[in-house]
């Protein structure tokens, strides 16, 4: 499961996963790491993004607890990061096309004001990327 944990009914889905896997079977899950959300560069321009993402994505301890409660006996979580640089053009295009589903949760007035601010203040490049949690859960 890649970038699905915030979209599903986790207790129900994880329980079903544990039920259908053979003994020793594994569920592998990758999700954004909420502990990194405070450093996300778009928060400066779209302040409600932080709260929206924190409400949707499970933190490491929560994810581990939910997997164990669903019946997984062994759960290993690791963090990994994949930083990248975006050019000004790439960053603006990602915002204008609302590439992140979180933009759907940002009020339209905030989105328009943030876009205007980005267009005036953004430098030649921005450091972006992913900070992820990788969970491997075994039955």
């Amino acid at each position: 499961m890649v970038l699905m944990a915030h979209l599903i009914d986790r207790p129900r889905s994880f329980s079903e996963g544990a039920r259908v896997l053979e003994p020793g079977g594994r569920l592998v899950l990758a999700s954004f790491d909420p502990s990194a959300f405070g450093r996300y560069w778009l928060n400066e321009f779209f302040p409600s993004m932080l709260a929206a993402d924190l409400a949707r994505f499970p933190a490491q301890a929560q994810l581990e607890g939910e997997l164990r409660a669903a019946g997984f006996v062994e759960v290993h979580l690791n963090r990994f990061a994949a930083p990248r640089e975006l050019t000004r053009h790439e960053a603006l295009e990602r915002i204008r096309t609302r590439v992140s589903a979180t933009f759907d949760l940002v009020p339209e007035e905030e989105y328009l004001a943030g876009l205007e601010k980005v267009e005036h203040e953004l430098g030649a490049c921005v450091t972006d990327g992913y900070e992820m949690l990788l969970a491997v859960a075994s039955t």
Side-chain angles (χ1 to χ4, degrees):
M1 301 176 78
V2 177
L3 294 177
M4 296 294 297
H6 65 292
L7 301 173
I8 60 174
D9 176 341
R10 288 190 304 274
R12 187 171 153 200
S13 297
F14 292 167
S15 292
E16 183 64 7
R19 185 187 71 78
V20 300
L21 286 170
E22 295 179 4
R26 292 185 186 137
L27 171 74
V28 179
L29 181 146
S31 182
F32 289 127
D33 183 355
S35 70
F37 289 165
R39 296 185 298 276
Y40 191 41
W41 70 276
L42 284 175
N43 294 341
E44 175 186 345
F45 303 101
F46 307 98
S48 65
M49 285 186 108
L50 178 59
D53 281 338
L54 286 172
R56 297 183 322 142
F57 289 88
Q60 183 172 348
Q62 179 182 0
L63 186 57
E64 181 176 357
E66 289 174 354
L67 288 164
R68 290 189 186 283
F72 289 95
V73 293
E74 217 175 300
V75 179
H76 300 281
L77 283 110
N78 292 298
R79 290 187 171 100
F80 68 94
R84 67 176 173 190
E85 286 205 355
L86 297 175
T87 65
R88 175 184 168 79
H89 174 76
E90 291 168 329
L92 287 170
E93 188 65 18
R94 293 177 68 77
I95 295 167
R96 289 180 182 135
T97 60
R98 301 181 194 212
V99 70
S100 169
T102 306
F103 279 118
D104 294 340
L105 305 174
V106 172
E108 187 65 15
E109 315 79 53
E110 180 183 327
Y111 169 77
L112 293 172
L115 176 59
E116 183 177 343
K117 186 176 179 183
V118 168
E119 288 172 338
H120 289 97
E121 296 180 13
L122 194 64
C125 65
V126 64
T127 300
D128 189 36
Y130 301 100
E131 293 188 46
M132 308 285 289
L133 289 174
L134 178 64
V136 178
S138 302
T139 55

